[in-house]
Structure formats: C-alpha cells, structure tokens
C-alpha cells in the first residue's frame, strides 16, 4: 500500500474510507489492554460534574449516559431504553434499563437519575446549568421511570443531542451526603459502565478493568484500559512508535508527528470518530479590563490577525477560517449569510485603537495585556505566540503566562486573573449544548468553558433562551442565525479558526471511531487484534 500524505489521510479518514473498525470477516477477540495517551490531567473524572474531553476520555468508560450516538450520529439507548415527549415540550419521560447495577453492587434506579439531574446537571455541570435552567423537577413514579418537567419547552431533539455529553448519571447513594464537589468519587468514579475504576496515580497513569457484571452480555472485550499520563508530545509519539501507546486522542500529538505517523503502515491518522466534536480556536477577553471592554479594541485585535497565513503555515489541512461560534459542520444551524466577519486589516486595527483612545506611547506601545494559553494542544500554544507577534505590530504588548491545566482553569474561570486567554470551544451537535454557555450571562463562578468574561447582553441572553426553548425547527434555526450575528457584532470572544480533532490509532485497535464521539464514548465493543 502506498503511504498517504497528511492531507490524504485526513480527508480519507473524515470520509470514512480508512478502515478504523473491525473488518467484516474478523471475530472480536477477548482480552488485552488498551493503552491510551492522556495528555492533560484533570481535577475530577466525573462527567456528571464537568463536561470536557479530558473527563470523557476516562469517565465515559466508567460512567454511562442515558443515551449515546450511533454511527450516523443518531441518539441510541444506553441507560434509557426508550423515551417520549409531550407536544408542548415540557414533559419528557424516560423508561430506564432494568437489571443494571453500580460498580459497588447497588441497583441503578430512577432515583439516581433524578438526583443527578437536579443536583449535578442543573447546579454544577458547566454546560448543564444553562441547558437545564428551566428544569423544575424529575419525577420518579417507579424505579425505572424518570419524568423530566420543564417550566419552558425543551425541544426533544435538543435534549437527545445533548444527553450523550450532558446526560451521564452518578450514584445517589455515593453523593447524597456531604459536598458533591469534594466527594472522593470525583477522582475514583463509580459507574455502571463497561470498565471499573481501579487506580489513579497522578502524573503516571489511570487504570480501569473489565466490569464482569456489565449489563451488555459478553461485553466488554478488553481486560483493561490504561491511560498513560504524558504531557510531552514528542515522548507520547515515541511511545506510540514503540507500541506502548495504542491510541492518542483529541489532537494531543505534535502536528509534525501526525504527518510522520500517517506514513507508517502501523498507524491511522484520521478525523473520523470526532465529527461530533468540532472545535474552534478562541481568543477570550476579560471585560473587567476597561480597555478590553471597548468593542473597538476587541475588533482591532481580530483585525490584526492574519488567520489565513497562520493556518497555511502552521495548521495546513487541519483547519480553516472560522466564521463564528457555530461551525460550518453544523448543517442544521450554520447560517450561510448576513454574519459580520472580522478579516485581516492592520490599517483598520490601528484606526479602531486610535478611536478607542488607545494611542501609542513610549516605544510605540498602546497598552499591555497578560495572555494565558490553555495547555490542551500544540495549535493553542502556536496561536498564542502568533497572537503576541501580531499584536505587537499594532502597539499592544502581550505577556504570555503558561500554566498547567489546573492553573489555567482556576485563573481564567474562577479567579478571573487574565486579560486574554486562548483555547478551544467545542461544538457538540446543537448550539444549546456547549456553545451558547460561552455567551449566556449568569453562569456559576468557576464553571469551565462558560461565560466568565464579565460580559452581559440582554439581547444575547434573550436570543439564547428563546432558541433553547423553541420547538419549531425553522424558528430555532432563525434564532441561532441571530445568535451568530450578535456574537460577531459584539465580539465578546473571537472564534477565528475552525478544526476537527485528529486521532492516531495503532491498527490493532478494532471497532474504533465507530461513532461521532468515539474517544468520549464507552468502548464497550472495542477489541485488540493480536
């Protein structure tokens, strides 16, 4: 077979032409250990409390959601066997799977669903707080029925598209006493999933083993999953080549290694299995800084960035120019016209800064800012450096402050100790799942990847709330076009680059990338060829 170049590999993988699942004639083999690259350690591992790929990559194997997505991106039953909704969208009834037990042997019931929804999703979960803001109760007429009651309509399609990421269930008997946020199970999770938590050695590894009482007969195939903590991308690539790691998710390797490994017959480098996790590179502004509170300054920063140049020279076929918080892969909600764009225009950037009263002083400097890049991926680090160099040309001095994951999350989302931050926004199937929370005011302090910018707009809040409760699909689409227009007009954050995550597999991994959020899903049917 002729080696594929980087562009061919990604395009073929995205189209499903590279075989990432088990071949039709193969029989799944039981046993083996799947070793996974874990690039960024997490403060918690419970996806009921924190929605992020870093949590899902571990917690999604141990805990389960009410529904997941199939190969075509459609909702399929997991802990919920079936569901129905009232015509007004205010009542959603889930029939739960019977005979399911928690890893500690206790039965899974509707009480667990009600507790998780009301105490975790609604009050703590970073994206759940907005999604479930109009949830008033979860009734439990019997042990296997959960009835969700809403003050305002919740479109069934939105709820089902959200639950694969925002519908993980936690055991009530473990969390009902004490502070949920400080519960030891947050780093030693107890779930109903195919794998049971065994051990977490910070800085080294996480281990989960086969759940022998799993409700899916004869599954899982794997004996264990081991996540190896490796923050150094070069070291992770070396371990892949040595066979010590079989899977690296979510663009965790260096861009140059993607190209090199794609030419090695042992590996697949692909965007397949990540279609449900499109991401946008962001520039986040702290509006508490009076300089950045001026929309002219924010737009000037956008106009100072030559995004096509950055993509061509640093990202290549991995990215394209972003046009707003709703990415082009969202065929149901992506607006095709009428959305303001902030293109590269240095002269306009300088003029806007002058108009905002930010004139050049000594050494040509207008003002200085602290930039915190998220430690998630190489592209974020590269983009932070490019941002620093670009803004220097228009008189803005940028100090880059690099922190580990915990430090970044605390500084940006809890302490608000930043001027600019660069990171990723992830789009998950519907704008109301994980996108509008970046713009809706009133988010709980400290909730990661939500509006912690000190920015509020009545028009934006109203549009977000109306769209999230609109049951007419055409009207929802129009409201999200208005949302995109407001976001690109007021520019509370910049979303200049659109990407899809890249995965690297050892070809021994079978039944891989077989749904749009595979890296986050359960791996119950994954197996290893000998």
């Amino acid at each position: 077979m002729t080696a594929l170049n980087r562009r061919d590999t990604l395009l073929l993988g995205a189209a499903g032409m590279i075989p990432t699942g088990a071949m039709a004639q193969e029989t799944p083999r039981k046993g083996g250990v799947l070793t996974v690259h874990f690039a960024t350690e997490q403060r918690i591992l419970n996806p009921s409390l924190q929605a992020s790929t870093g949590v899902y990559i571990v917690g999604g194997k141990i805990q389960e959601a009410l529904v997941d997505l199939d190969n075509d991106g459609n909702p399929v039953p997991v802990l919920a066997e079936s569901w129905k909704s009232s015509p007004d969208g205010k009542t959603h009834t889930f029939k739960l799977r019977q005979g399911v037990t928690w890893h500690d042997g206790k039965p899974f019931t509707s009480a667990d669903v009600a507790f998780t929804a009301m105490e975790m999703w609604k009050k703590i979960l970073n994206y759940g707080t907005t999604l479930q803001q109009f949830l008033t109760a979860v009734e439990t007429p019997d042990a296997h029925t959960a009835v969700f009651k809403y003050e305002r309509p919740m479109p069934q399609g939105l709820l089902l598209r959200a639950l694969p990421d925002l519908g993980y269930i936690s055991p009530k008997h473990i969390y009902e006493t004490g502070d949920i946020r400080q519960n030891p199970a947050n780093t030693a999770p107890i779930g109903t999933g195919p794998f049971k938590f065994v051990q977490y050695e910070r800085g080294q590894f996480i281990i989960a083993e086969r759940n022998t009482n799993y409700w899916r007969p004869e599954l899982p195939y794997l004996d264990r999953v081991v996540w190896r903590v490796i923050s150094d991308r070069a070291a992770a690539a070396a371990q892949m080549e040595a066979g010590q790691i079989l899977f690296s998710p979510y663009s965790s390797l260096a861009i140059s290694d993607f190209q090199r490994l794609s030419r090695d017959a042992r590996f697949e480098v692909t965007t397949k299995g990540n279609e449900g996790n499109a991401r946008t590179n962001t520039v986040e502004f702290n509006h508490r800084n009076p300089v950045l509170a001026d929309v002219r300054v924010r737009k000037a920063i956008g106009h100072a960035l030559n995004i096509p140049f950055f993509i061509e020279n640093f990202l290549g076929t991995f990215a394209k120019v972003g046009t707003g918080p709703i990415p082009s892969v969202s065929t149901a909600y992506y607006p095709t016209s009428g959305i303001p764009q902030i293109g590269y225009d240095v002269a306009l950037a300088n003029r806007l800064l002058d108009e905002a009263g930010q004139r050049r002083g000594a050494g040509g400097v207008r003002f200085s800012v602290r930039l915190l890049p998220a430690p998630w991926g190489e592209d974020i680090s590269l983009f932070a450096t490019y941002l620093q160099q670009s803004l220097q040309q228009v008189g803005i001095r940028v100090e880059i402050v690099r922190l580990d994951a915990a430090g970044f999350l605390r500084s940006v989302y809890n302490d608000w100790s930043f001027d600019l931050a660069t990171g990723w926004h992830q789009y998950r199937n519907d704008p109301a799942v994980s996108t509008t929370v970046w713009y809706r005011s009133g988010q709980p302090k400290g909730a990661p990847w939500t509006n912690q910018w000190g920015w509020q707009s009545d028009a934006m809040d109203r549009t977000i709330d109306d769209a999230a409760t609109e049951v007419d699909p055409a009207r929802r689409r129009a409201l999200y076009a208005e949302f995109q227009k407001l976001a690109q007009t007021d520019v509370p954050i910049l979303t200049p680059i659109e990407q899809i995550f890249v995965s690297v597999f050892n070809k021994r991994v079978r039944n891989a990338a077989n749904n749009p959020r595979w890296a986050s899903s359960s791996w119950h049917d994954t197996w290893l060829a000998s």
Side-chain angles (χ1 to χ4, degrees):
M1 177 179 177
T2 302
L4 298 173
N5 63 31
R6 179 175 66 183
R7 180 177 184 276
D8 291 338
T9 301
L10 290 175
L11 292 178
L12 290 175
M17 296 174 67
I18 293 177
T20 53
M23 304 302 287
Q25 70 271 24
E26 290 185 310
T27 300
R29 183 178 73 94
K30 277 211 167 189
V33 178
L34 177 59
T35 49
V36 182
H37 178 201
F38 193 47
T40 306
E41 289 195 89
Q42 303 295 313
R43 293 178 296 173
I44 66 172
L45 298 175
N46 182 346
S48 302
L49 295 175
Q50 183 165 306
S52 79
T53 54
V55 176
Y56 298 145
I57 192 66
V58 177
K61 323 302 170 270
I62 298 167
Q63 293 180 237
E64 294 182 299
L66 292 177
V67 303
D68 204 348
L69 301 178
D70 65 12
N71 294 12
D72 298 319
N74 300 312
V76 292
V78 183
L79 289 179
E81 287 189 320
S82 63
W83 46 82
K84 63 180 180 180
S85 303
S86 63
D88 65 1
K90 293 184 177 182
T91 301
H92 301 270
T93 302
F94 291 87
K95 289 296 182 180
L96 306 179
R97 194 172 299 280
Q98 301 187 35
V100 177
T101 58
W102 295 101
H103 292 156
D104 62 3
K106 302 288 186 181
F108 160 73
T109 71
S110 56
D112 299 307
V113 176
F115 178 85
T116 303
M118 297 304 295
E119 300 301 323
M120 295 182 174
W121 301 352
K122 185 174 175 65
K123 295 180 180 179
I124 302 174
L125 182 61
N126 46 319
Y127 299 138
T129 55
T130 293
L131 181 76
Q132 304 293 356
Q133 64 178 312
F134 299 117
L135 177 66
T136 57
V138 179
E139 298 174 356
T140 55
D142 60 58
H144 297 101
T145 304
V147 183
F148 286 66
K149 295 286 190 176
Y150 288 89
E151 177 185 355
R152 294 181 63 174
M154 166 64 77
Q156 186 192 67
L158 164 58
L159 184 60
L160 294 178
R161 283 191 294 271
L163 287 177
D165 282 335
L166 306 184
Y168 283 90
I169 307 300
S170 290
K172 177 183 178 181
H173 65 279
I174 297 295
Y175 281 96
E176 62 185 332
T177 59
D179 185 346
I180 288 176
R181 291 178 175 86
Q182 301 302 320
N183 196 298
N186 291 340
T187 51
I190 297 171
T192 59
F195 299 97
K196 298 172 62 174
F197 174 84
V198 174
Q199 186 179 3
Y200 186 3
E201 290 291 334
R202 287 212 171 261
Q204 299 183 55
F205 57 80
I206 302 171
I207 299 174
E209 65 184 14
R210 176 192 288 128
N211 176 11
T212 56
N213 294 316
Y214 190 45
W215 56 267
R216 284 183 168 107
E218 303 301 321
L219 295 175
Y221 296 119
L222 297 168
D223 288 331
R224 282 188 166 193
V225 180
V226 176
W227 295 265
R228 297 183 183 275
V229 179
I230 310 170
S231 58
D232 184 272
R233 297 181 183 89
Q239 289 199 27
M240 287 217 63
E241 291 179 292
Q244 297 170 341
I245 292 175
L246 301 179
F247 172 46
S248 180
Y250 294 122
S251 299
S252 296
L253 299 181
I255 295 171
S256 58
D257 286 326
F258 291 147
Q259 183 175 12
R260 183 172 54 81
L261 293 175
S262 72
R263 295 193 293 265
D264 189 321
R266 295 174 297 168
F267 304 110
E268 294 170 8
V269 180
T270 180
T271 56
K272 191 177 188 317
N274 294 318
E275 299 89 344
N277 281 308
R279 78 183 195 272
T280 305
N281 290 81
T282 58
V283 179
E284 300 143 42
F285 302 100
N286 190 341
H287 294 247
R288 300 170 189 86
N289 181 330
V291 174
L292 300 175
D294 191 321
V295 67
R296 293 170 295 185
V297 172
R298 301 195 299 274
K299 287 183 176 180
I301 289 174
H303 287 304
L305 304 177
N306 188 342
I307 299 302
F309 173 86
F310 178 77
I311 290 174
E312 180 180 357
N313 287 276
F314 295 98
L315 304 180
T317 55
F318 293 108
K320 62 181 179 179
V321 174
T323 56
I326 300 177
S328 59
V329 296
S330 177
T331 55
Y333 297 111
Y334 181 70
T336 57
S337 62
I339 306 302
Q341 296 301 314
I342 303 175
Y344 179 56
D345 190 331
V346 173
L348 178 56
N350 279 307
R351 186 164 68 250
L352 286 169
L353 290 168
D354 287 342
E355 291 175 1
Q358 302 300 327
R359 297 189 176 275
R360 293 180 185 267
V365 176
R366 300 176 187 272
F367 58 87
S368 299
V369 292
R370 293 170 70 250
L371 167 63
L372 276 60
W376 317 140
E378 182 187 22
D379 58 313
I380 296 175
S381 179
L382 290 171
F383 188 48
T385 301
Y386 181 71
L387 184 69
Q388 180 187 50
Q389 296 169 347
S390 298
L391 296 189
Q392 182 179 355
Q393 298 180 51
V394 295
I396 302 174
R397 177 178 291 161
V398 178
E399 175 194 2
I400 297 179
V401 180
R402 301 187 187 276
L403 302 171
D404 63 12
F408 174 83
L409 292 173
R410 182 177 60 252
S411 295
V412 175
Y413 297 104
N414 191 77
D415 298 343
W416 304 328
S417 178
F418 74 104
D419 295 311
L420 302 176
T422 54
W424 289 333
H425 150 252
Q426 284 185 246
Y427 182 84
R428 295 178 172 94
N429 307 308
D430 187 289
V433 177
S434 61
T435 298
T436 56
V437 293
W438 283 69
Y439 297 84
R440 180 62 167 88
S441 66
Q443 304 298 325
K445 184 179 181 181
W449 307 291
T450 68
N451 180 359
Q452 301 293 330
W453 330 127
W455 177 80
Q456 190 273 335
S457 161
D458 289 341
M460 179 63 87
D461 287 352
R462 184 170 53 252
T463 300
I464 288 171
D465 292 348
D466 289 347
T469 56
E470 178 57 62
V471 295
D472 180 352
R475 179 60 183 153
R476 280 197 89 215
R477 183 182 180 91
L479 284 166
Y480 282 126
E482 179 63 20
F483 161 76
Q484 186 101 324
K485 182 178 180 180
L486 288 170
Q488 290 294 99
T489 300
D490 292 345
V491 201
I493 62 174
L494 283 170
T495 52
I497 302 169
E498 180 182 324
Q499 303 190 61
I500 295 179
F501 284 112
V502 179
S503 297
V504 182
F505 295 97
N506 186 299
K507 291 181 180 177
R508 291 183 57 212
V509 183
R510 299 290 201 261
N511 281 350
N514 58 9
N515 73 43
R517 56 183 300 277
W518 185 83
S520 295
S521 64
S522 71
W523 301 351
H524 64 273
D525 60 347
T526 299
W527 60 281
L528 297 177
S530 57

